[in-house]
Amino acid sequence: MSAPSSAIESTLVENRVFPPSEATVKAARISGMPAYEALCAEAAADYEGFWARLGREHLQWTKPFTQTLDESNAPFYQWYADGELNASANCLDRHMGTAAENKTAIIFEADDGAITRVSYKELLGRVSRFANALKALGVVKGDRVLIYMPMTIEGVVAMQACARLGAIHSVVFGGFSAKAVHERVIDVGASVVITANAQLRGGKELPLKAIIDEALSMGGCEKVRNVLVFERTKTACNMVAGRDLTFSQAMQGQSDHCEPVAVGAEHPLFILYTSGSTGKPKGVQHSTAGYLMWAKVTMDWTFDLQPSDVFWCTADIGWITGHTYVTYGPLAAGATQIIFEGIPTYPNAGRFWQMIERHKCTVFYTAPTAIRSLIKAAEADPVVHPDRSDLSSLRILGSVGEPINPEAWMWYYKNVGGERCPVVDTFWQTENGGHVITPLPGATPLVPGSCTLPLPGIMAAIVDETGNDIPNGSGGMLVIKRPWPSMIRTIWGDPERFKKSYFPDEMGGKTYLAGDGAVRSADRGYFRITGRIDDVLNVSGHRMGTMEIESALVAKTDLVAEAAVVGRPDDLTGEAICAFVVLKRSRPTGEEAKQIAKELRDWVAKEIGPIAKPKDIRFGDNLPKTRSGKIMRRLLRSIAKGEAITQDTSTLENPAILEQLAQSN
Ligand code: WTA
């Protein structure tokens, strides 16, 4: 378990409490703690009845379900299994003939500031036309479609069009390398790839299609019949005859009506790869109904969504947050949402605040890393400070992806929220589908750095290795004791790994193990997440497996003999990646070490993507190992942090190596 950073440690003494204002409580959907407690009591009294009610109230079914939860093949739980529905119909068609029909669904702001608005009706037309294009290429229910797209309306259209046909999308974040794309194309068995010629970020045009071409040329991708290319810019890209089509070619002559394909509730809506404890990313498989129900309910509960809201989640559609709180939740809830193509620091670091003012954003949801970098920018240059923009439209702020340190929380609360907007620190994971532990804006008294309490129906607890409850005030492992509808269904193609990763036998095989450490406060029972307990790092809110980076490093077989990767706290990115490397040649020093470190960083960027580049690379003659040959990572963590080694090193085979590694920075 990695040690918390000093900033996070300060949450241990956090005792400031910010209750919601009376007006906020009064206006909220879940109004006050008694309303929250009533929902929890409803779930406790009749667990299945509670979820059945939400399933009926929040989704439109073509065939209503009669069973709620099937636990007969635990931990492969099924929810609403005999019901049928279509996810895209639940995001778009449901609004036709209602007040939302002509409402703006998406306000798109491009990297260069150009603004496009699309109504629900128009969006339905575009999704339908694109779905017809996919259909014409032979895409049918159950096919896998890999999406590698920039943040654009078309990215959302592509995902929704797959859902409309019952095809299973697998979105790969645009920052992953050709090698990473290749691995996912093969693992998921994609028959179609959807991409763009390029993406625009920070005034730069970066190629996307070229990366797909490279990935598909790596071999084993024969299943991919077609590549659809959105022409984001005028720059020409290579088009393979008979395989590649532009969006306009594919959509030409297609009708803007496409009957949604009804699928079973448990039909996979998507597969999203995330990092785990081993070198191979996990294809997290989500269901259609349970997932979508929770996306919709959490929009209503956590963000207290009202018809007049302008919602903005800054996450990329390549991550789970972008799936649930860009592509599905806001549309299912009938919200107007902002989609932003660019980066928060272009043309300057006031971009987010200026956009909030420009679009009168009311609910703003972003990551602590972004907040921390914008604090730094605002301190350096008052012109990009949030006080230069009119942020009075805001009413709720959200945080996601990593622990938010109280200092950043307070700055966000004061300078962005004007001490008026509740900050919902939402804890959840790719595997959870939607929020699981979070404050409710019109109910929960807030404590900076704490995600507070589980949502009604989520049976979160903190336990020891054998699943016994740990008293408040002591740390342990975060678990969820009962299945819930939006949970991961399996790891695509690897049900054994699913069981082993999330439902340890030592805990009885039915308790969901989150992989995070947590502690509940002695007074309120509030949860505070202390960080991953496995070999997963959280860098700028992105999940990275240490083993994945190690595998990438040792794949440079001409140079690297051995590598170990650990995290160390970083004020800006939360955690930073540190690699300890043993070369096949003698240990380099000085300029030469710098040169080789750069070479290795570029190599990792090629193997996985720029987000996985180690910040520190240290070279040693070997690595600290036990006599049985196991790398002692806890020692490496201390060295990475620059700490004196206080741990017991008696089992260490080669103690002198510690000194060498400590000095090799
Ligand atoms: C971390 C992102 C503290 C945690 C939605 C989790 C958080 C991992 C929070 C999942 C939070 C996410 N406070 N830690 N509010 N939200 N995490 O799958 O370690 O990309 O296990 O999902 O991010 O990352 P993932």
Side-chain angles (χ1 to χ4, degrees), residues 464-487:
D464 64 17
E465 276 84 2
T466 50
N468 296 312
D469 283 319
I470 282 186
N472 289 359
S474 309
M477 300 195 266
L478 179 67
V479 296
I480 301 177
K481 289 189 165 176
R482 297 278 282 135
W484 70 103
S486 70
M487 71 195 295

Side-chain angles (χ1 to χ4, degrees), residues 63-87:
K63 177 173 173 250
F65 62 91
T66 62
Q67 311 160 353
T68 304
L69 169 63
D70 178 356
E71 302 187 73
S72 58
N73 189 24
F76 300 93
Y77 300 102
Q78 301 213 327
W79 286 91
Y80 316 125
D82 64 342
E84 287 178 10
L85 76 171
N86 178 276

Side-chain angles (χ1 to χ4, degrees), residues 274-275 319-321 365 368 399-404 424-432 435 437 449-451 478 514-517 528-532 536-538 541-543:
T274 190
S275 297
W319 307 111
I320 191 68
T321 308
Y365 189 35
S399 170
V400 60
E402 46 180 326
I404 179 164
V424 290
D425 175 3
T426 63
F427 170 83
W428 60 298
Q429 311 170 296
T430 303
E431 295 87 343
N432 303 157
H435 306 147
I437 308 180
S450 168
C451 52
L478 179 67
D516 280 289
R528 185 170 56 80
I529 308 299
T530 51
R532 299 287 307 193
V536 170
L537 305 181
N538 194 322
H542 298 156
R543 250 168 93 165

Side-chain angles (χ1 to χ4, degrees), residues 109-120:
E109 184 165 315
D111 190 55
D112 67 2
I115 295 164
T116 317
R117 287 188 171 74
V118 191
S119 72
Y120 271 93

Side-chain angles (χ1 to χ4, degrees), residues 7 29 99 119 181 310 337 364 435:
R29 279 174 186 268
S119 72
V181 171
V310 176
Q337 71 169 322
F364 179 66
H435 306 147

